[in-house]
Amino acid sequence: MSAILEVIKDKAGPVIDSLIALTLGFLGGALTIYFSGYDVVKAMSQLYNFSIGNPFVNPYSLTITLTYAGPLMLSGLAFALGVRAGLFNIGIEGQIYMGAFGVVIASSFAGIPAPLEVLAIILVGIGFALMWSAIPAALKVYREVNEVVVTIMLNYIALGVADYTIFKYFPNPSDATKSIVVPAYARIPLLMPNTSLSWNIVISIGVLLVIYYVLWYTVPGYELRVAGTNPNAARYAGINPKRAMFLSFMLGGLLAGIAGIEKVAGLPPSYSVLSTLSNLQGLGFEGITVSLIGGNHPLGIIFAAILIGALHAGARGLNLIGIPKEIVWVFQGIIVISIAIPNLYTLIKRKFVSPGKEVVGK
Amino acid sequence: MVEPLVKVADVVKVYPDGTVALRGVSLDIFPNEILGLLGENGAGKTTLMKIVSGLLQPTEGKLYVYGKPVKFSMPAQALKMGIGMVHQNIPLVHNFTGLENILLGYKGIKRDEALERLRDLMSKTGLKVRLDVPVEDLSLGERQRIEILKMLFRGVKILIMDEPTTNLTPVETKDLFRLLKQLAYEGKAVVFISHKIKEVMEITDRVVVLRKGKVVGRLKTKETTPKELASLMVGREVVFSYPPKKEVPNQKDLLVVKDLWVTDDLGRQAVRGISFTLKSGEILGVAGVEGNGQKELVEALTGLRVIDKGKVILMGEEVTGADPGTLSFRGLVHIPEDRKNVGLVLTMSVLENVFLGLHRYPEFLKPGKLINWNKVTEHARKLIKRFEIVVRSLKSPAKSLSGGNQQKLIVARELSKKPSVIIAANPTRGLDVASTQFVRNLLINLRNQGIGILLISSDLDEVLDLSDRVAVMYEGKFTSLKPVKDYTLQEIGLLMGGVNA
């Protein structure tokens, strides 16, 4: 706990930025609801009741929030690792598709002993995501190809490849809208019976803490952060910035793979991939939101993912009283804009403006 | 008596960071004349002309154009009054053609009409450029000609050229000189900013010598000699006192460099066949005006730049092309010139910056590539105490430190690697007097302990005060290398200006 406090004290600036952005987001969202002619108080209480409610009496609402938050943490952290290494890696979306695709393939092995099936899901799921991440990594490191362009393209390719192959070769015989399901004995178990909350959330938080440790307490993590913050200083200190970038891509792929596994093998009731990958779409991109709100910091990302999860959960409540649930996008949008402007500014400055040489008094 | 086109009266310029670039400079610029503005790095030549061309505003003093007082707030206003400056790094839009660049911001003319006028101008002046090719595909010389053409097209009366020959081939230089002479003959005023004495002697009619923001000489070129100019340019004041240099017994050859060739970022040969030997207990100073390959030499020796040809031998073992990590393990450390962008990660904490480079040293690690932050903290505390570095907390970012303390942090960190050879590039640039004294004393003490120091500095005083031997670097070569006491000041000035004494 003291470690967290220390970090918060250290990072007071970013934390305050995030809090300001959240306040603006909720104010803007409330105004939007008001000007759309709905009852703001009622809407806000629906949002609250369906995302948090009173967890001591009935934790159901909170379980929904946490169910959303689990995979979001991973995709958020995957993006954050890119930023930490000086990359704008938006390929998480496609890597999650590939991870989920791998899980579906592994599910088709059903019948082999349970431990092997579990192993297969983990290995194939993560392997596929890593493979997809290795492409932009190799292009960036060996050919200096811009990772933004490559990852955007690969997202579309992954969508096409996974969607086509899954529904051509692994369709669910009894339901045309989904793939074969993960065998019951190989699923990530539920944390609370009769809810959708599985061990996903525990796995995600665990992974985040591990990555936090790697970044701040190991040499490769230190090298990654130095290289991402100042490549010149990195080279001066004998660090190869490209190695750091490669590591960042690979860790990102690993996290995307785990997110894909959580989405398919750890999320009732479907335990499968839905057609057009509709139950996966957007997770990778929302990771960017989560990462920005969380200050690209593993501990911040835990809170940010829970917040975005809560908005998703609360949105169901809005729908019930006739307010379009899309209104939560307004909340998210304003939060991201207010936080991203200063943040993105530094990122763009670093990426696209080479350090200027102002010659004075020569 | 001809009226001056431009009159600069008692101009003082203080930069926002407190640097005083000009300390009361007065100057007249006449038509039909090439005026040379000569001085070392930081003498204030460029600053002065940036003020005349409207890019900077003077802190004090006045500017008169055609006898009327003016206040420019942007270069466009100066350009309107006929003052144009061709900068050292020419600001053109790279993916625009020459024509597009010339017409950029120039309203009220049709393309064909402009083209015709430009052709006319080119044939009159002998300036040859390709107008229909994107600028990025043109040589630096051609880009410069486009910029000159642009100035002439806009009808400048006063043309300011900032170190115009830096990127030119000898033939291009010759053509440029012919052009400048012709322009002066036609009634324009040309200001020629340079540190090259030879060129100033060759082309100018009158010379104004600047040193440390003051005019130290106004001469007719015909009535002066390179020697006189050199003395004026490098004249020095003694401010510091240093610990005595001790005789170091049993000097060994620490660093041997043989016929080193290095290319710069633009693919030009920046270092052309440099050889030297650095002994233990010696400071070998490299003097020279900046941009003569010093940066590339340092980068090549410290593993940051590819070596095209030649050998580097560190304590008997060849280390040509070794990376910075390997070099520091073998006893060669680097105090970089750019401490903010190379020596430190400004946004990371003091503690993390102490660890930079030391992150390869086993004494700060635990098994499994884990960092022993306790050890690093202990080490950082020791360094801070020993070098009297002022920091608020080990957790505060490095950018919160003053420049002097940042430099002390770097020096302290590099010394904790227990080096035999130190390569120090402009180690006191931008530091206050106390920090400068501290760093210089430290270098001398390290030398007395038997460490070999290669000191590359554009501050001539620094080189002369600290070094045992001095090399002068000019256009990628050491034009001279001998004990500091065998030089006269005038000789160094001439060598720095590219004149072989």
Side-chain angles (χ1 to χ4, degrees), chain A residues 335-355:
Chain A
I335 295 172
V336 169
I337 289 173
S338 12
I339 209 159
I341 289 169
N343 249 351
L344 268 184
Y345 176 69
T346 30
L347 196 68
I348 287 169
K349 207 168 79 175
R350 193 167 67 214
K351 264 203 85 64
F352 297 108
V353 185
S354 57

Side-chain angles (χ1 to χ4, degrees), chain B residues 171-230:
Chain B
V171 178
E172 283 178 324
T173 303
K174 225 177 186 179
D175 285 346
L176 174 72
F177 283 5
R178 200 181 39 72
L179 172 71
L180 293 182
K181 278 181 179 159
Q182 184 190 339
L183 291 176
Y185 179 78
E186 286 168 2
K188 297 200 190 317
V190 176
V191 179
F192 184 81
I193 303 177
S194 181
H195 63 262
K196 295 181 180 163
I197 296 171
K198 211 170 77 184
E199 293 180 351
V200 169
M201 288 299 293
E202 182 182 338
I203 188 176
T204 63
D205 301 304
R206 210 157 51 88
V207 192
V208 170
V209 186
L210 284 178
R211 193 202 315 147
K212 298 197 170 149
K214 275 185 178 162
V215 175
V216 292
R218 300 170 197 274
L219 310 131
K220 287 224 157 66
T221 311
K222 269 187 239 153
E223 296 163 9
T224 183
T225 60
K227 285 186 180 168
E228 188 184 8
L229 289 179

Side-chain angles (χ1 to χ4, degrees), chain A residues 216 219 222 225 236 238 361-362, chain B residues 42 46 334 352 360 369 373:
Chain A
W216 272 273
V219 172
Y222 174 80
R225 287 187 298 123
Y236 162 73
K362 271 220 159 164
Chain B
T46 301
H334 174 198
E352 287 174 309
R360 295 278 192 82
K369 292 202 165 191
W373 283 119

Side-chain angles (χ1 to χ4, degrees), chain A residues 6 10 213 215-220 222-223 225-226 229-230 232-240 243 355 357-362, chain B residues 15 42-47 50 324-325 334 336 341-342 344-345 347-348 352 355-357 359-360 365 369-371 373 395 413-414:
Chain A
E6 210 162 82
D10 236 18
Y213 189 79
L215 282 178
W216 272 273
Y217 293 91
T218 72
V219 172
Y222 174 80
E223 294 194 336
R225 287 187 298 123
V226 171
T229 318
N230 184 345
N232 291 324
R235 270 188 290 274
Y236 162 73
I239 298 167
N240 184 348
R243 251 185 56 189
K357 278 181 194 151
E358 170 67 273
V359 184
V360 165
K362 271 220 159 164
Chain B
Y15 280 106
K45 305 171 299 228
T46 301
T47 302
K50 278 185 176 169
H334 174 198
N341 289 314
V342 177
L344 296 171
V345 186
T347 51
M348 288 172 93
E352 287 174 309
F355 192 49
L356 190 69
H359 71 279
R360 295 278 192 82
L365 303 180
K369 292 202 165 191
L370 300 184
I371 301 169
W373 283 119
K395 296 254 170 200
R413 179 186 70 206
E414 295 309 312

Side-chain angles (χ1 to χ4, degrees), chain B residues 20 23 33-34 55 85 113 116 125 171 186 207 260 333 345 378 399 443 492 499:
Chain B
V20 184
R23 306 163 188 270
E33 185 182 75
I34 301 181
L55 201 59
M85 178 158 173
E113 195 187 333
E116 198 174 310
T125 56
V171 178
E186 286 168 2
V207 192
L260 192 73
V333 300
V345 186
E378 204 179 291
K399 66 178 170 204
L443 290 177
I492 285 207
V499 183

Side-chain angles (χ1 to χ4, degrees), chain B residues 117-164:
Chain B
R117 265 181 58 194
L118 282 168
R119 291 227 174 85
D120 191 39
L121 207 55
M122 280 196 270
S123 66
K124 254 200 263 170
T125 56
L127 262 176
K128 267 176 262 141
V129 288
R130 290 172 287 166
L131 286 171
D132 49 355
V133 178
V135 165
E136 60 197 348
D137 297 332
L138 299 177
S139 74
L140 291 169
E142 205 158 358
R143 291 182 205 181
Q144 185 186 59
R145 291 198 288 278
I146 285 181
E147 189 70 7
I148 297 175
L149 194 61
K150 178 166 135 191
M151 294 301 163
L152 297 178
F153 183 71
R154 308 262 170 119
V156 298
K157 291 259 167 44
I158 299 119
L159 183 65
I160 301 165
M161 305 290 300
D162 189 4
E163 302 273 4

